[in-house]
Amino acid sequence: MNYHDPVDRELKQILKSKTQDLVIPDAVQLAVGNALSSLSEQNVKKRYALKRWRWAAAVIALCFVLGTVSIFTVPTFAEMLRSLFAKDNPDIGLLRAQELGLVHNPHIKVKDEGYTLVIDEAVADPTRVTIALQLFDKKGNHDRDKLVLGDANKITIKDDKGNAVGSMYDMGYTSDFYYMVAFFSEPLQTDKITIEGDIGSLGQRNEPLIEGNWDFSFDIDMKEANRQTKIEKLSGSYTTPHGMTVTLKRLTRMVQGVRFEMETELDNKAMARSPRDLWENQMLSFHFETIEKKEIHSVNPRKKGYMDSLMTSDHRVIGNGKMRWSYTFKYLPEHEPYRFVLDGYSVAEMDGSRICFRPSELTEPKAFKILNDKVELVGTSLEKSQSGDGTYETAVSFYGEIENETRHEEWKVYDSAGKQYDVSKRGVSSFVNTLADNWTEGFISMGDRKTQQPYEFRIPGLDQIPEELTLVREVVDKRYKDPDWSVLLK
């Protein structure tokens, strides 16, 4: 830009006068400067055209500065918005709340024992409640570690009838404030909520506590957030080759999230494999993708580096063999079509697979295959009991590559005399052989071969190693990954 031009001096003076009271981040100043300096005079031949173009540019730059600063100078949510914009899944719910004017300032400022608790921002809708809480010490610095929620300190949410409907916890994410949040698996049905803080002590458990009173309470009107809630009926039903029928039900769009609901039902053959209440132990795997097959969100995949914006999920029994499932996401497309894809599911089923071995013969690893799962035993030893009572128990060390799930499986062990013992497991597990473009491939690796840290079956009550041991997987968390079904959602 030619700074000897009187027009330029006028524009510069206007921008300076309009922004002198604002703290403009360096990134914003640089962006505005680059935008103005890129206006080439060589492409403008007439003097008056140049002047009009400069004035238009000034207006655009000023709007950009004011609009950007309105986000970046928000005292606490600003850092979170900046950091979330850098990720694959920004918090669109918070941005929508800001656009709709649903970011409330409760003007909370409570001071005691030299510490001041401040809340200047809160967002609420039927999906979740979010508040930005700051705690300043005597020097005016925000202390990110003094406030610990638990038995002594609680932040409770109540509906318009005074019933407690949730409690808040710290999500972390930023060093500038405590990011307090509460999620609701069932959308709130209330015109008003009250957020009550019962804060009586500050400090970590390993340091002297500071006793005081930082209690607070404020209301948030939910009427406008409720008016923004929209319900969309869904259609589509499919029965898998192994007897599960999946039926899509509805979408509930709220300010801060989208609730997706479906139902499942097992047929008689599937129920016979999961007697009593075993069938209630289930998990669904699915994802959403654009028409161009670009991933939007995934739930319980084995995909490497999957997209995740799931805020909360819930499922409950609604009949014999029938379950109702709900998942709340930060975002699902609203104005363009996308696709729901069922990737798989798991159900706890009776198994009975057996692994028999002689501990004395485990001088080298011994491999077993049960269903599609591989278990490699590497040793047996006596270890101090995990109960801490000074007794000993038998530990069987192993590595595994598990095709099925492990959350709901059940094991028993029998010694040489046929006596039965309960079994617990201890160790680390991770997904291996996963792919970036596939939602179902890969195994659960039990134990870490790289650090030579095997997984363990722990057998309380077995305080001497018997001549022979038999491990029985009585219940398998059976994984089915062969559904071939998707639904176009518009």
Side-chain angles (χ1 to χ4, degrees), residues 438-451:
N438 191 290
W439 280 263
T440 61
E441 293 303 313
F443 300 92
I444 299 176
S445 176
M446 310 294 287
D448 188 342
R449 292 181 184 274
K450 292 182 179 179
T451 60

Side-chain angles (χ1 to χ4, degrees), residues 381-400:
S381 60
L382 281 179
E383 305 289 342
K384 285 187 176 181
S385 174
Q386 297 178 88
S387 63
D389 59 3
T391 61
Y392 285 81
E393 62 190 26
T394 298
V396 179
S397 303
F398 71 99
Y399 294 103

Side-chain angles (χ1 to χ4, degrees), residues 23-216:
V23 179
I24 306 175
D26 293 340
V28 178
Q29 295 190 58
L30 181 61
V32 174
N34 289 341
L36 290 176
S37 64
S38 66
L39 300 176
S40 174
E41 297 183 19
Q42 297 176 1
N43 295 328
V44 185
K45 296 184 178 180
K46 293 185 179 180
R47 176 65 180 169
Y48 292 105
L50 172 61
K51 186 174 181 179
R52 287 196 299 271
W53 181 240
R54 293 283 181 81
W55 278 104
V59 172
I60 294 171
L62 181 58
C63 291
F64 177 76
V65 169
L66 296 177
T68 306
V69 170
S70 70
I71 292 178
F72 275 81
T73 57
V74 174
T76 53
F77 276 154
E79 179 177 326
M80 183 171 63
L81 290 177
R82 286 199 298 271
S83 63
L84 289 176
F85 271 128
K87 299 179 181 180
D88 293 327
N89 289 299
D91 196 326
I92 294 177
L94 279 178
L95 298 179
R96 287 196 65 208
Q98 188 179 53
E99 291 171 1
L100 295 169
L102 296 178
V103 179
H104 304 270
N105 186 345
H107 302 288
I108 297 297
K109 188 174 184 179
V110 185
K111 186 174 182 179
D112 196 12
E113 299 297 325
Y115 282 85
T116 304
L117 183 149
V118 175
I119 302 175
D120 287 330
E121 292 166 310
V123 180
D125 77 339
T127 307
R128 62 175 169 169
V129 176
T130 306
I131 65 174
L133 185 153
Q134 290 180 295
L135 184 68
F136 296 98
D137 62 18
K138 298 177 181 179
K139 296 181 180 180
N141 298 317
H142 173 56
D143 196 323
R144 190 63 179 79
D145 301 317
K146 282 292 183 188
L147 179 58
V148 178
L149 295 183
D151 294 333
N153 300 321
K154 296 180 180 179
I155 301 177
T156 305
I157 301 168
K158 296 182 178 179
D159 63 14
D160 51 10
K161 295 180 175 61
N163 299 315
V165 293
S167 59
M168 309 196 78
Y169 65 96
D170 181 19
M171 285 279 286
Y173 283 169
T174 174
S175 60
D176 274 6
F177 63 97
Y178 294 88
Y179 176 27
M180 299 295 182
V181 65
F183 296 101
F184 307 107
S185 57
E186 291 288 335
L188 289 182
Q189 303 291 324
T190 181
D191 288 336
K192 182 192 75 172
I193 62 170
T194 300
I195 301 176
E196 295 183 355
D198 182 10
I199 311 297
S201 64
L202 301 176
Q204 298 290 332
R205 292 179 177 85
N206 58 352
E207 64 183 23
L209 295 180
I210 302 171
E211 304 291 339
N213 184 353
W214 296 271
D215 294 353
F216 62 87

Side-chain angles (χ1 to χ4, degrees), residues 170-343:
D170 181 19
M171 285 279 286
Y173 283 169
T174 174
S175 60
D176 274 6
F177 63 97
Y178 294 88
Y179 176 27
M180 299 295 182
V181 65
F183 296 101
F184 307 107
S185 57
E186 291 288 335
L188 289 182
Q189 303 291 324
T190 181
D191 288 336
K192 182 192 75 172
I193 62 170
T194 300
I195 301 176
E196 295 183 355
D198 182 10
I199 311 297
S201 64
L202 301 176
Q204 298 290 332
R205 292 179 177 85
N206 58 352
E207 64 183 23
L209 295 180
I210 302 171
E211 304 291 339
N213 184 353
W214 296 271
D215 294 353
F216 62 87
S217 178
F218 63 92
D219 297 337
I220 296 182
D221 191 314
M222 298 287 286
K223 295 186 184 70
E224 181 57 33
N226 291 337
R227 279 193 287 269
Q228 295 292 334
T229 299
K230 302 175 184 177
I231 297 177
E232 303 174 13
K233 297 293 185 181
L234 299 177
S235 60
S237 186
Y238 167 74
T239 300
T240 72
H242 301 282
M244 174 183 278
T245 298
V246 182
T247 303
L248 304 188
K249 301 302 290 184
R250 67 178 181 176
L251 277 178
T252 304
R253 294 187 179 275
M254 296 165 279
V255 174
Q256 294 189 85
V258 183
R259 186 170 186 249
F260 179 82
E261 295 175 77
M262 64 181 122
E263 292 180 1
T264 60
E265 183 173 9
L266 297 176
D267 65 16
N268 291 335
K269 289 184 178 180
M271 289 291 284
R273 297 192 297 267
S274 303
R276 305 182 304 279
D277 58 356
L278 273 184
W279 66 273
E280 298 178 14
N281 299 314
Q282 301 179 25
M283 184 182 76
L284 301 182
S285 299
F286 60 91
H287 73 274
F288 298 98
E289 63 185 29
T290 66
I291 298 300
E292 294 78 21
K293 296 188 179 299
K294 182 179 179 181
E295 179 187 7
I296 301 172
H297 308 308
S298 293
V299 175
N300 296 321
R302 291 198 177 175
K303 181 178 184 291
K304 184 177 182 179
Y306 68 92
M307 305 288 282
D308 178 20
S309 79
L310 183 65
M311 291 193 291
T312 183
S313 64
D314 187 43
H315 64 278
R316 66 182 188 276
V317 175
I318 59 173
N320 189 36
K322 297 185 67 174
M323 304 278 285
R324 181 83 174 204
W325 304 77
S326 68
Y327 303 84
T328 302
F329 302 92
K330 291 180 182 177
Y331 160 81
L332 281 174
E334 187 171 7
H335 302 297
E336 61 270 356
Y338 60 103
R339 194 175 298 277
F340 165 86
V341 182
L342 180 64
D343 298 314

